[in-house]
Amino acid sequence: MSIRMPLGRLAGRLGTSRISTASRPAVLPRAFRQQQQRSYSSEPPRANNPSKVKFWPFFVVIGLGTLGYIGLVNRRKGTAPAPGGSQPNTPGAEVAGPVFSAKDVTVVFVLGGPGAGKGTQCAKLVEKHGFTHLSAGDLLRAEQDRPGSQFGDLIRDYIKNGLIVPMEVTVKLLENAMVDALRQKGTKEGRFLIDGFPRKLDQAYKFEDTVCPAKLVLFFDCPEKVMEARLMERGKTSGRADDNAESIRKRFRVFIETSMPVVDYYEKQGKVVKVEAVTTPDQVFAETQKRLRERLGADF
């Protein structure tokens, strides 16, 4: 059985259906709706990787610090003392290098234990061959007795106790004596016997860096018993504060511990002329001349 509906009524229903469908909001995809909500949200957008740490500020700080340090080092290089020669001869004074050239000035260090006869042999070399003799010990004793000397008491205490006077004092006294000797002769050339010096390696370094390199080391070798007997005999008339048994033994110990390394140091350089100093002064001098001619020539 067919159902008949009037055409007007059907048309009215169809129109109502189209209107209600058109007025209903369209259903959007879920992902698109979420994107729209985020776009209008009041919260700031999240970073892709919130846990990531930025390292470039650290590299900038490290770079600036490195450049500053390099600049500081370069500035200090301009004012830093050069090795050796920059060390002061006396407190507060600076020297750029050796005062004397080895081409103009010949320096022979004269070493040996206390009582080995260094002074006696130097006197003979001065008389026969025209050397200038400088005794480190004599210069120190003269300085301690000089009125107004700022080092007098210090030198006196060191000598009395058989100790080595600070090298700045000794080196400066030797330098001044060499300058005076050349000035008196009116020349820049000279030959020096420096007796009883250097007594330590640092003195050797200091002297060669600031005054003049040494040509040779004349070493008088003598047994301790012989040297002690000579010193005790000399003490009867010398008036020296260190010519007594206690000081003599201290001086022997100091020489063995500090001065023998100086001899060893120069011996490795082939600069040591060794002479046995047990026989009489004339016999020792004859041997000394023979050895020096071998090293310095017949007309030394």
Side-chain angles (χ1 to χ4, degrees):
M1 183 174 58
S2 63
I3 300 174
R4 292 182 180 180
M5 181 177 293
L7 183 58
R9 187 182 297 178
L10 179 61
R13 288 186 177 181
L14 289 174
T16 304
S17 175
R18 289 192 189 100
I19 293 172
S20 63
T21 303
S23 61
R24 187 183 303 168
V27 178
L28 299 177
R30 183 177 181 181
F32 184 73
R33 293 200 307 270
Q34 291 177 350
Q35 183 176 359
Q36 282 187 324
Q37 291 175 356
R38 285 197 296 267
S39 299
Y40 291 94
S41 173
S42 60
E43 297 178 359
R46 296 181 181 179
N48 293 333
N49 189 359
S51 63
K52 185 176 180 181
V53 179
K54 296 180 180 180
F55 289 97
W56 65 266
F58 297 98
F59 292 120
V60 171
V61 173
I62 294 172
L64 292 175
T66 302
L67 291 175
Y69 175 76
I70 292 173
L72 178 62
V73 170
N74 290 334
R75 287 195 299 271
R76 288 183 176 179
K77 283 182 179 179
T79 58
S86 64
Q87 298 176 354
N89 271 359
T90 55
E94 292 188 359
V95 178
V99 175
F100 304 103
S101 169
K103 296 179 181 180
D104 300 327
V105 174
T106 299
V107 171
V108 177
F109 291 145
V110 183
L111 296 177
K118 301 182 295 295
T120 300
Q121 297 304 316
C122 285
K124 290 179 176 294
L125 286 169
V126 170
E127 181 183 357
K128 297 289 185 180
H129 300 282
F131 282 92
T132 298
H133 174 217
L134 298 178
S135 168
D138 289 347
L139 290 172
L140 289 169
R141 282 183 286 274
E143 181 66 19
Q144 78 174 0
D145 296 332
R146 183 175 65 85
S149 171
Q150 60 177 320
F151 303 116
D153 292 337
L154 179 145
I155 294 171
R156 188 175 296 103
D157 291 339
Y158 272 78
I159 291 179
K160 183 178 180 180
N161 291 293
L163 302 175
I164 296 176
V165 175
M167 65 177 177
E168 288 82 3
V169 176
T170 308
V171 169
K172 187 60 178 177
L173 292 175
L174 288 169
E175 178 191 329
N176 290 344
M178 292 172 69
V179 171
D180 291 342
L182 295 178
R183 184 184 295 116
Q184 291 175 7
K185 293 180 179 181
T187 179
K188 67 175 184 178
E189 298 179 354
R191 299 190 303 167
F192 293 91
L193 298 170
I194 301 184
D195 168 13
F197 182 91
R199 296 182 65 186
K200 294 175 63 179
L201 274 175
D202 59 351
Q203 291 183 346
Y205 301 148
K206 179 74 171 180
F207 184 91
E208 292 201 327
D209 285 346
T210 61
V211 182
C212 186
K215 178 74 172 180
L216 292 173
V217 174
L218 184 57
F219 174 51
F220 292 103
D221 193 17
C222 189
E224 189 172 308
K225 290 184 178 180
V226 175
M227 292 189 291
E228 183 175 358
R230 291 175 179 175
L231 291 174
M232 294 301 293
E233 182 65 26
R234 187 181 69 183
K236 296 177 180 179
T237 57
S238 68
R240 287 177 48 170
D242 57 345
D243 277 348
N244 59 78
E246 183 179 357
S247 293
I248 288 170
R249 295 188 186 96
K250 289 181 181 178
R251 291 162 64 191
F252 285 152
R253 288 197 300 271
V254 170
F255 178 79
I256 295 296
E257 294 171 1
T258 64
S259 297
M260 284 307 299
V262 176
V263 177
D264 296 338
Y265 169 75
Y266 283 107
E267 192 165 23
K268 292 177 182 178
Q269 300 181 35
K271 291 186 175 183
V272 173
V273 176
K274 185 177 180 179
V275 178
E276 295 293 333
V278 180
T279 56
T280 66
D282 288 341
Q283 291 173 321
V284 173
F285 183 61
E287 183 66 17
T288 300
Q289 291 184 102
K290 176 183 176 182
R291 296 294 179 87
L292 288 178
R293 287 191 183 101
E294 295 171 356
R295 302 297 295 270
L296 300 177
D299 299 328
F300 78 94

